[in-house]
Amino acid sequence: QPQEGRLLLASHSLFADLPPADLDSLLSHSRPVLFTAGEAIVREGAKGRSLYQVITGRVEVEKEVQPGHTIHVAELGPGEVFGEMTLFQGAPRSATVRALEDSRLLRVDRAGVRELLERDPDLLERFAQLVNSRRRELESLGHEEQQREASNLLEAMRNLFFALGGG
Ligand code: CMP
């Protein structure tokens, strides 16, 4: 159903203004994939070559801020896109994205995105904005986490110090 695919892609502001031919070209590099609740779609630290758009269901973005300590970053639902950071920064996946419920996603391969970028330089700018805001959010989460750790440490030191009494 090409019409359905176009509508889905165009429901995201990244692709909303693309002509139908460009949407079709993206779709020709895409396929629907299914994930069950709890399954990881992309894993933090892994290599990746695909961009995803949620068709139905919900996914969670989570980041390991310290070994064994994972925090919730965001939840994404139908129409929303993820996986763009690796595509554009050439870095490993910045976070794990996991299906919160059985979810259907559109997986777009890198070549499809590249083809479009050649034709539409504005698209790169829109992607850059998305990458930037998400990257900033990830960084600030890291900082908040560090501050929380620091204040926990302070608290532990204070407790220990006063628990030891006046020796
Ligand atoms: P990528 O690094 O390829 O893989 C993990 C994805 O999680 C990342 O691309 C983004 O699409 C998504 N992601 C990372 N940080 C955030 C955020 N702060 N909000 C929403 N999504 C994010």
Side-chain angles (χ1 to χ4, degrees), residues 76-146:
L76 305 174
E80 290 184 284
V81 160
F82 63 90
E84 77 293 338
M85 291 174 79
T86 293
L87 232 50
F88 287 97
Q89 301 185 110
R93 297 291 187 195
S94 60
T96 292
V97 183
R98 192 180 294 286
L100 283 174
E101 46 191 80
D102 293 355
S103 299
R104 214 159 167 254
L105 309 164
L106 189 70
R107 175 155 68 203
V108 186
D109 74 37
R110 195 172 193 278
V113 178
R114 195 187 47 222
E115 234 174 62
L116 236 63
L117 290 175
E118 284 164 8
R119 269 181 270 160
D120 183 354
D122 289 348
L123 182 60
L124 186 64
E125 235 169 88
R126 294 198 291 278
F127 266 117
Q129 275 169 18
L130 186 65
V131 169
N132 236 316
S133 70
R134 286 179 166 175
R135 189 165 60 181
R136 227 173 304 162
E137 201 181 327
L138 278 187
E139 279 167 6
S140 76
L141 282 173
H143 292 157
E144 275 168 35
E145 192 58 25
Q146 276 166 22

